[in-house]
Amino acid sequence: MSNKKIRIAIDCMGGDIGLSVTVPAALLFAKRYPDVHCLLVGEPQAIEQTLRAQGNVDTSWYDILPASEVVTMADSVEVALRRKKDSSMRVAAQSVKDGIADACISAGNTGAWMAISRYVLKTLDGIDRPAIATSIPNQKGGATIMLDLGANVDCSAEHLLQFAIMGSALASIVDRHERPTVGLLNIGEEVIKGNEVVKKAAELLRSSGLNFYGNVEGDDICKGTVNVVVCDGFVGNVVLKSIEGLAKMVGSMLRDEFTRDPLSKVSALLARPVLNRFRDRVDNRRHNGAALLGLRGIVIKSHGSADAYAFGYALQRARGAVLNGLLSGTSQAVERIMQSVNLHEEQSGEPDTRHTSEPSSS
Amino acid sequence: MSNKKIRIAIDCMGGDIGLSVTVPAALLFAKRYPDVHCLLVGEPQAIEQTLRAQGNVDTSWYDILPASEVVTMADSVEVALRRKKDSSMRVAAQSVKDGIADACISAGNTGAWMAISRYVLKTLDGIDRPAIATSIPNQKGGATIMLDLGANVDCSAEHLLQFAIMGSALASIVDRHERPTVGLLNIGEEVIKGNEVVKKAAELLRSSGLNFYGNVEGDDICKGTVNVVVCDGFVGNVVLKSIEGLAKMVGSMLRDEFTRDPLSKVSALLARPVLNRFRDRVDNRRHNGAALLGLRGIVIKSHGSADAYAFGYALQRARGAVLNGLLSGTSQAVERIMQSVNLHEEQSGEPDTRHTSEPSSS
């Protein structure tokens, strides 16, 4: 990796705003990280025009990969996949498949991005469906990896097990946890609680050889009780957005209180450095960029509503994923865990109902 | 209500801590609200002993309702319902049924409290299952009513419709909304998204005659996009606890930042009034106390981990529910909405797929 640049294919057309967010963000990103080469994917004229508006003359940091179509936020997966074969998403994913790019990123329609990257890149052995994972800062000063965040609704217990395997792999690569702890998101710690799929998933996890902690509840995400929190995509998406909504409200309430009267304004002035540090820690734009795990390529999803600042963080995450060896690391970890799971299943014969915080037999 | 006291039956044995939380909270509550008479339910000797430890001599504010058994947090619904027929929960609910109390409250095992109050008090006509509802403060300075919060996992579309009816009734009583808006919690605003139950519930809601806004996402809860947010109990419980977890983390991060160095500590001193106002707005102990809707009696659930301060807020909520006429109001509103839903169904014949922000035909 020393002399070779990190090549990132950027879907410039995706997201709620598109070009005027993605292109300026890419420009700043390339200036900050000279080890990166950007592949700007989309309508060439529109991209060039946006670049010119930035007053930029240097052309060494990017190439344009032309794509004539755009997947909109309202497009169904079918339309995105079958009728828009020259979409910027498709071209970006294909560039990873072809080895032209080391990672690809889009802020567009999540369902379409998932379906296209899965269709083009395929999943790892033993993984039926990719999952969207992100890190949520926790009270312990670290981060909790959570998945799935919306790639899959109506999951089976087996899918939840696969998410746990992928999440464990991610935690062992990115956060260097030897045997990351996995919690299953549920409505109570008691075994009797939860819906049928979650109950069955808990059984599978208990006999999986993973470092399964047991059920966790919503507040355990920010507490940092476990390294990895597993849930279906419906729950994960709703939880993530609810948390983001509260974080925004807290920010605006704090502003309210510090501007309510002259005395409050004076204290805000004095407290500014403290409040800035606090804002930086809470600002969810800094946590933008989720990885689509389980694919044979590095695929990053940015928030659709990301501004250039937030999109820049997602680009950094793509670069970090390449530098960390996320792809080979995840593939190897998934393979290793899969073998251990299989081994464990073969050894135990009948379903194992022990709590597996004890060391696995692998 | 003028001369008659508001009688509240308090399960003194429930919650993670029990007597040493519930009894002091009841004492303070009765001192603050002389219009209240408390029925302290539980083991008489233990209650008397805890009262004596408070140094209290006045005995006019309470009576003791003896109950020889306690439902623990680990008890299954079956055990709570069939094997502990003289539990403090059961006696508290029965006192409402018998007209001895106007409302009952417990901080104990949620599933058991739901099952017992449902068994003893029965549901309103047209309501299959009670739902747990609470108000979450939103960015508009008001509150968003959210339900269900854990009474029901594995809900059908019809159950979600019933939650919407009960939530609308609550919003029209407590928040005096004429035609409260209802949002269905989903992972995207587009109709194509969401799991099968949610999709079907959206269809039912569109043709219900309720003021259905459409799908809402997690961040709409704190945004205050709609008056009522409807979801199944699994999702609602996880979301509520996740939000609470973040609120706690934010509080501790703010403390961290303001105590990091001497200068920060000085600014904290000056900012104290502002920070106190902020803390009061965020403190979830002030929002303790959820109503179990759909029952023929006023039933309140406090957080199991509530301290005396938080339990006091739940007691205030019970008193408020009696004063607001929550029971008769909800019953009437549910009846009225049920009739309008039925009327609408009869008129429309075939399933109606219109978006019903337009006035309903009823």
Side-chain angles (χ1 to χ4, degrees), chain A residues 17-38:
Chain A
I17 300 165
L19 288 162
S20 58
V21 160
T22 53
V23 171
L27 175 61
L28 272 176
F29 173 64
K31 273 187 185 156
R32 186 164 170 195
Y33 297 102
D35 60 353
V36 161
H37 187 75
C38 294

Side-chain angles (χ1 to χ4, degrees), chain A residues 155-165 182 184 196-212 215 337 340-342 344-345 348 350-356:
Chain A
C155 292
S156 70
E158 286 74 19
H159 293 133
L160 291 174
L161 173 63
Q162 290 175 16
F163 300 164
I165 293 169
V182 177
L184 184 63
E196 290 311 315
V197 171
V198 170
K199 280 183 195 167
K200 198 178 158 202
E203 276 176 39
L204 292 178
L205 281 162
R206 258 181 223 109
S207 54
S208 70
L210 290 172
N211 193 4
F212 182 50
N215 289 332
I337 295 168
S340 124
V341 170
N342 290 339
H344 201 89
E345 273 174 6
S348 63
E350 286 199 55
D352 187 348
T353 51
R354 285 175 306 165
H355 195 286
T356 50

Side-chain angles (χ1 to χ4, degrees), chain B residues 228-288:
Chain B
V228 180
V229 169
V230 170
C231 59
D232 78 46
F234 188 93
V235 172
N237 185 286
V238 167
V239 163
L240 185 70
K241 287 191 176 152
S242 301
I243 286 178
E244 288 173 356
L246 180 68
K248 257 188 207 163
M249 181 170 81
V250 163
S252 89
M253 276 163 74
L254 211 52
R255 255 194 314 279
D256 276 8
E257 293 299 348
F258 271 111
T259 51
R260 190 185 274 201
D261 48 54
L263 205 65
S264 300
K265 284 182 191 166
V266 171
S267 66
L269 220 60
L270 290 165
R272 184 171 291 170
V274 182
L275 293 173
N276 284 348
R277 285 202 305 263
F278 173 74
R279 191 202 51 204
D280 286 349
R281 283 175 70 180
V282 176
D283 189 353
N284 72 4
R285 295 183 302 167
R286 291 185 165 229
H287 303 287
N288 187 32

Side-chain angles (χ1 to χ4, degrees), chain B residues 128-142:
Chain B
D128 294 332
R129 301 172 172 193
I132 302 179
T134 199
S135 297
I136 296 168
N138 64 36
Q139 218 162 338
K140 290 185 174 166

Side-chain angles (χ1 to χ4, degrees), chain A residues 5-6 8 10 22-40 50-62 312 315-316 319:
Chain A
K5 291 215 171 186
I6 298 166
I8 299 177
I10 304 169
T22 53
V23 171
L27 175 61
L28 272 176
F29 173 64
K31 273 187 185 156
R32 186 164 170 195
Y33 297 102
D35 60 353
V36 161
H37 187 75
C38 294
L39 300 174
L40 305 179
T50 316
L51 276 171
R52 276 195 301 274
Q54 304 296 311
N56 179 49
V57 282
D58 180 14
T59 56
S60 67
W61 62 275
Y62 71 92
L315 287 169
Q316 285 183 39
R319 176 177 171 273

